[in-house]
Structure formats: C-alpha cells, structure tokens
Amino acid sequence: MYKLLSHNDLDGVGCGILAKLAFGKHVKVRYNSVSSLDREVEWFFENENQDTFLLITDLSVNEENEKKLDAFYKAGGKVQLLDHHKTALSFNDYAWGHVVVTDDEGKLTSATSLLYEYLVSHQLMEDSEAIAEFVELVRQYDTWEWEKNDNQQAQRLNALFFLISIEEFEEKMINRLQTSEHFGFDEFEMKILDMEENKKERYIRRKRREVVQTQVGEYLAGVVYAESYHSELGNELGKEYPHLDYIAILNIGGKRVGFRTIHDHVDVSEVAGHFGGGGHAKASGCSMNEEAYKKFVVETFHVEPLREDAKRNHYNVKRSSFGSLYKNKKESIFLIYPVNEYEWAIDKNKTKMDLTFTSFDEAEGHLKRNDTAWLVRDEVFVNYLMDEIKKK
C-alpha cells in the first residue's frame, strides 16, 4: 500500500494523478497546504501500517518530523520525499530525500516531473506520450517557463485546475491520460477557458490601479491585495511596473503573502524565507505572521496607489528623441531625453539633474523608484511644449 502526501496546487495534484495512474486503488492521496503537511505526517505515524510506503511530494516537513522520518526509514520503513524547492536541498543528506532544482539538461524541475521520472525509472509506470505532455505542461507552468515559451496550454491547464474541484480535475485527467495518445482539452473546456481568460484580464486591469510602492529592506516592492490569479497577476504587475524589484500579493482571507518577480537579480524565495516561508526564485510565499502583517499591511495601508502610465498616447511616448514627459503627486514635472547616442538625462522642473544614464529604461527606473512619477497624457505634453515655444 502507498500513501502520498502532496501540495494542493497544480504541481502537487499532478503528483496525485501520477500516483493514481501508477498504483490505482493501492494508493491513498492527501493534498495539503504548506502548514498542514506536518499534521498529516504525524497522523501517518500514529495510524498507518508500518508496511505502507510513504511518498511526500512538493512539500517538506519540519525539523521534528524530519527526525521521525529518518528514524522510520532506518527502522525499515519505506519513505521517499521528492521536492524541487531550493529551500529543501538539505533533505538530500538523507537516503530517502531527493531534491532537484535543475535537472541534468539545465531545466527547472517540478514535483510532478520528478515523480514521473521516479515512477518510470523504478518500473512502476510505463512511459506514455500523453502523460509526458501533461507532466511537461505542469512543469512549465510551475516553473513559469510557459510565459517565456508562450505556452498557453500550460497556463490554461492551471486555469482549468482552479475552475473545477480537485476531485473532478483528477477524474478528468486520469481518464484522459489513460485513453488518449496526446494531451489536450475538449470543446467544453475550451469554451469555459475562453470565458475565464476574459474574466482574468478584467481582474488584472482593476488590480493595476491598486498597487502601492514601499521599501522593504534592500528591495523596492509593489504591494497589492488579491485573492485570485496570483501567478498571472504578479507577472503582469511586474511587467507594468518593472522598476519594482518584486510584487507582494496579500490574501487577507487566507492569511498568506505571495511573492513574484520578473527580475533575475531578485530571489523571492529569500524574501519569503525572511518571513518564515519559501519557494522558488521567481515565485514564493509565506504565512502572514506578525512581522509580515506589519511590513506589508500596517506600513502601507495609507500609501496612495501608483499611477499608471498613459496608455494611448501618440506624442508623449517612451524613448522618444523629443523627450518623454512625466509627473508625480507633488506636481513636479520630469523630462527624460537623449543627450547623445549613449546618454540619457532627466530635467526636473526644467532643471537638468546631475545624474546621466546609459539607457532610457535606466533613467525611467531611477525616476519611478525615487520620485514615483508616471508618463502623462498627450494633452499635458503638448501644453508643456507650447509653453516652451512661447517662452522662446
């Protein structure tokens, strides 16, 4: 008999689907939040038969259960932990631990991809084209490679996961993977996914107007309250406000903070680790403990949201050789313009600032980080130019 304890997100449930495909009725599967795993492990020791093979995927246990698992293994118990989070690498010190962040080909792994490799290599499951395609979609979504590869199938698989119950999702996927040569969505799923895509876009547009900016340690963070679409929202807000080092997404109902970044110089698993959480370099999270609540809720509650850059301009556009006009809440006016082919400068209230920059993006990033300015609409830019012409 097998017992699988896994995470309750797409990657964790992907492990449950593989386990049921491999072991059928001979496996019990329980999906857990990060905080509930240790209770399940304790229940296992108190209630399960010594011969039950314990599999833990996409999650890692606390120090107390770590010692219990090692003692269980040394006493002849069967246990295997599979994880892909950098924060769990210490479990590789145990014979029953297997944590891989990046595989031999340089690809980021997921718990589902690690379990699939484990099952096939131990001849517990036969290789299958449809299953391999499903596993790769889960891996790309969980590691956020889908965005770089523009793999909409991976993003849609996650959307479907949240549109239906875990039980229904499991049943659909298991039936499909057992009967299909290739993985895909049926006609009804495509229709509801199209509707969901429109809903998500409207939600993200609204949230773009609610982001506040705050300094947290060495990083400049964007903070927003949201209960849905955390991964997509974090990615879109990161692209909308690239001067921010990361986005902190607050789920007050769930008492969680999610961290997302689009930058290679920021590792949000370290940010989450400071608040007792963990995860990936680009996506991580933590419980909203007292320190996190104070930093992200109390200290930002009265901060005004960032203003979005004007979207439909024809004249006041970024990287223009004529200059790009910005404004902030103190009514200061800023003009970013090229000095020559290699240098950009900023005028503040028509006085040139001392700093120069090697690119427009560097200049704009400095302006947004330090002066919280936004690109103004065409009419403001035209009035600014007319005033300059009149003076001359």
Side-chain angles (χ1 to χ4, degrees), residues 358-373:
T358 59
S359 67
F360 172 86
D361 291 337
E362 184 185 352
E364 186 193 45
H366 174 85
L367 184 59
K368 286 179 173 289
R369 289 177 73 92
N370 294 280
D371 294 280
T372 324

Side-chain angles (χ1 to χ4, degrees), residues 21-43:
L21 285 169
F23 306 123
K25 296 178 180 179
H26 299 290
V27 64
K28 297 177 184 176
V29 177
R30 293 280 294 181
Y31 299 117
N32 304 270
S33 65
V34 174
S35 60
S36 67
L37 172 67
D38 287 302
R39 292 195 300 272
E40 283 292 331
V41 173
E42 290 164 7
W43 191 94

Side-chain angles (χ1 to χ4, degrees), residues 315 317-324 336-339 344:
Y315 307 111
V317 295
K318 298 185 180 187
R319 302 173 187 83
S320 170
S321 59
F322 298 103
S324 306
I336 303 178
Y337 58 94
V339 178
W344 292 75

Side-chain angles (χ1 to χ4, degrees), residues 32-271:
N32 304 270
S33 65
V34 174
S35 60
S36 67
L37 172 67
D38 287 302
R39 292 195 300 272
E40 283 292 331
V41 173
E42 290 164 7
W43 191 94
F44 173 84
F45 287 129
E46 293 169 2
N47 297 278
E48 289 289 355
N49 189 292
Q50 179 78 12
D51 294 330
T52 300
F53 193 125
L54 177 62
L55 282 164
I56 301 174
T57 55
D58 207 30
L59 292 169
S60 53
V61 296
N62 63 21
E63 187 176 348
E64 182 181 351
N65 278 326
E66 182 179 334
K67 293 175 182 176
K68 288 181 179 179
L69 286 171
D70 195 42
F72 175 72
Y73 178 81
K74 288 176 178 177
K78 291 170 283 189
V79 57
Q80 179 68 61
L81 182 144
L82 299 171
D83 200 1
H84 63 122
H85 298 99
K86 186 172 69 174
T87 48
L89 283 169
S90 61
F91 286 92
N92 283 331
D93 294 339
Y94 299 105
W96 47 268
H98 184 62
V99 181
V100 181
V101 178
T102 306
D103 67 16
D104 294 337
E105 297 178 359
K107 288 183 178 180
L108 291 170
T109 66
S110 70
T112 303
S113 67
L114 290 175
L115 181 59
Y116 185 55
E117 180 186 328
Y118 175 87
L119 293 171
V120 172
S121 64
H122 285 77
Q123 298 181 335
L124 298 168
M125 170 186 279
E126 290 187 10
D127 200 358
S128 153
E129 191 72 24
I131 296 175
E133 290 169 357
F134 169 78
V135 169
E136 178 61 9
L137 292 178
V138 174
R139 188 197 68 80
Q140 286 203 30
Y141 184 81
D142 199 64
T143 60
W144 211 250
E145 278 187 25
W146 75 269
E147 209 267 341
K148 180 177 66 177
N149 300 331
D150 193 28
N151 189 340
Q152 295 300 315
Q153 288 285 87
Q155 188 273 331
R156 289 195 144 205
L157 179 63
N158 187 69
L160 181 64
F161 172 74
F162 281 104
L163 283 172
I164 58 181
S165 69
I166 287 179
E167 293 76 19
E168 187 178 357
F169 183 81
E170 270 188 333
E171 184 180 355
K172 278 178 172 287
M173 295 303 109
I174 290 170
N175 289 338
R176 193 161 306 173
L177 296 174
Q178 286 175 330
T179 58
S180 303
E181 293 184 4
H182 293 280
F183 181 81
F185 302 110
D186 62 32
E187 186 178 352
F188 175 72
E189 289 167 351
M190 293 294 290
K191 287 181 179 178
I192 63 171
L193 286 168
D194 287 340
M195 293 170 61
E196 179 66 8
E197 186 69 24
N198 293 331
K199 179 183 174 184
K200 181 186 70 179
E201 288 175 1
R202 292 195 301 272
Y203 185 83
I204 291 174
R205 279 200 301 271
R206 178 159 56 88
K207 289 299 172 182
R208 279 204 296 257
R209 300 191 293 269
E210 299 176 7
V211 180
V212 301
Q213 177 174 305
T214 186
Q215 191 75 34
V216 183
E218 63 180 302
Y219 294 127
L220 190 66
V223 180
V224 65
Y225 293 84
E227 294 187 346
S228 304
Y229 311 114
H230 283 189
S231 293
E232 295 90 343
L233 178 63
N235 189 58
E236 289 301 319
L237 293 180
K239 291 191 290 188
E240 178 72 20
Y241 302 109
H243 70 286
L244 297 172
D245 294 312
Y246 66 82
I247 305 297
I249 304 171
L250 311 184
N251 183 344
I252 296 297
K255 295 182 175 62
R256 295 280 300 171
V257 185
F259 302 100
R260 301 291 187 275
T261 185
I262 63 169
H263 302 294
D264 292 333
H265 74 278
V266 181
D267 184 344
V268 290
S269 70
E270 295 180 359
V271 176

Side-chain angles (χ1 to χ4, degrees), residues 326-374:
Y326 291 73
K327 181 180 179 181
N328 70 5
K329 292 168 185 174
K330 296 180 180 178
E331 298 298 319
S332 294
I333 294 292
F334 305 87
L335 185 71
I336 303 178
Y337 58 94
V339 178
N340 52 50
E341 188 178 351
Y342 308 103
E343 201 173 21
W344 292 75
I346 302 176
D347 285 356
K348 179 178 181 179
N349 295 325
K350 303 180 182 179
T351 301
K352 187 175 181 294
M353 298 172 66
D354 292 334
L355 290 171
T356 57
F357 307 90
T358 59
S359 67
F360 172 86
D361 291 337
E362 184 185 352
E364 186 193 45
H366 174 85
L367 184 59
K368 286 179 173 289
R369 289 177 73 92
N370 294 280
D371 294 280
T372 324
W374 63 88

